[in-house]
Amino acid sequence: MAQAPSKQQAKRISARERIQEAQRVEQLAAKRRQRIVVAVSAVVVLALAGGTALAIGSASGKDEKPAAAGAPAPTELVVPANASGPDGTVIAYGKADAPHTMAVYEDFRCPVCKHFEAANGETVKKLTEDGSVKVEFHLAAFLDKNLGGKGSRTALAAAGAALNEGVDKFKQFHDVLYANQPDEREDGFGDAGRILDLAGKVPGLKTDAFVKAVTDRTYAPWAAKVADAFNDSGVTGTPTVTVDGKPISLFSGKATVTPEQFTAQVRQAAGL
């Protein structure tokens, strides 16, 4: 007949079982994190090389507001000058009286958005020059929730500081962020110092007020409102572009559409 374990042996067994259970939980969590990263990376590969016009899907529900290292985020909502739309959650670029509207949905951390901007960002700008089309940027921060970190929201809050300096300053800063976008898994935009370094590439942007707003995270509550507005928009991925509510195809075969193809779609949707 087997002898029952002593109390001391039972305690050792119980402790070992707790350790094993903790290790098992951590292994499962690590596998989940790996699946998320692989899934996002696979979407990017498919979108750029697989011939399928896929964008990174957003998380459902409100974006989480992760605590940042250092000082806590401010709670007072400060809407930057030059913001527009409901609750100041839209950034309008171009002539306000333009008869047609191009809506652009993006996340600063989204690599597919970077490729769209590289291929057709300048075309978007040119389409606003004759005053027939204006652009409304709807910015997201769902990759912070999907991949962890705070890069999307930090960049978005800094974009609010740029918008406060002027719409043109916002657009230049927007373009610089995409041109210098880090790997989405590295959360490089989560470093305010890096954001400020990139802001130095925009002539006249790094005023004392801008630097203080980025350092103090003045527009973090506004960035959260903007991200929530994206989640409520019904758009399920980035990049997404519409003209007067009509979707524009951003990919053709294995590549992004050419500036000529993009322009033709915009003109057709707007009836120009």
Side-chain angles (χ1 to χ4, degrees):
M1 180 177 179
Q3 185 177 2
S6 65
K7 290 184 179 180
Q8 188 173 10
Q9 289 174 324
K11 287 182 179 179
R12 284 199 297 268
I13 293 171
S14 178
R16 185 168 63 248
E17 289 175 342
R18 287 197 299 271
I19 292 171
Q20 290 173 341
E21 176 62 17
Q23 290 173 334
R24 186 185 69 81
V25 170
E26 174 56 29
Q27 288 171 353
L28 288 174
K31 288 180 180 179
R32 284 195 296 271
R33 290 192 295 268
Q34 184 180 34
R35 283 198 297 271
I36 290 172
V37 170
V38 169
V40 170
S41 299
V43 167
V44 175
V45 171
L46 284 170
L48 300 180
T52 306
L54 294 178
I56 297 174
S58 67
S60 60
K62 302 297 183 184
D63 278 319
E64 294 178 348
K65 301 169 179 58
T75 57
E76 180 183 359
L77 175 63
V78 179
V79 177
N82 307 303
S84 60
D87 299 321
T89 58
V90 178
I91 299 95
Y93 175 76
K95 297 181 180 179
D97 60 351
H100 303 284
T101 300
M102 177 189 299
V104 178
Y105 298 82
E106 295 178 318
D107 185 318
F108 282 120
R109 205 172 163 187
C110 164
V112 187
C113 297
K114 175 181 178 178
H115 286 275
F116 162 68
E117 288 292 339
N120 283 299
E122 190 62 26
T123 305
V124 170
K125 182 178 178 181
K126 288 179 179 178
L127 284 166
T128 68
E129 291 176 352
D130 65 359
S132 57
V133 176
K134 66 176 178 289
V135 177
E136 292 184 347
F137 289 99
H138 303 263
L139 300 174
F142 62 81
L143 278 174
D144 286 351
K145 184 175 181 180
N146 287 4
L147 293 176
K150 56 183 180 178
S152 294
R153 197 178 300 278
T154 301
L156 178 49
L163 181 62
N164 195 63
E165 298 290 324
V167 175
D168 288 341
K169 289 290 188 287
F170 159 81
K171 182 61 168 64
Q172 293 175 64
F173 184 54
H174 164 280
D175 295 349
V176 165
L177 287 177
Y178 279 116
N180 295 272
Q181 185 192 75
D183 186 292
E184 81 277 9
R185 293 163 293 179
E186 294 178 0
D187 195 32
F189 283 160
D191 179 2
R194 184 170 186 175
I195 292 287
L196 289 172
D197 287 343
L198 293 175
K201 296 178 180 290
V202 179
L205 177 58
K206 284 185 70 174
T207 64
D208 290 344
F210 174 84
V211 172
K212 179 174 172 55
V214 173
T215 304
D216 293 350
R217 304 171 65 208
T218 302
Y219 296 106
W222 172 81
K225 293 277 288 184
V226 172
D228 285 345
F230 172 90
N231 288 341
D232 292 338
S233 69
V235 173
T236 57
T238 58
T240 292
V241 176
T242 65
V243 173
D244 294 344
K246 301 169 186 174
I248 302 297
S249 297
L250 304 183
F251 299 93
S252 176
K254 297 181 179 181
T256 53
V257 296
T258 66
E260 293 76 18
Q261 290 171 324
F262 184 81
T263 300
Q265 288 186 81
V266 171
R267 294 194 177 281
Q268 182 179 9
L272 298 174

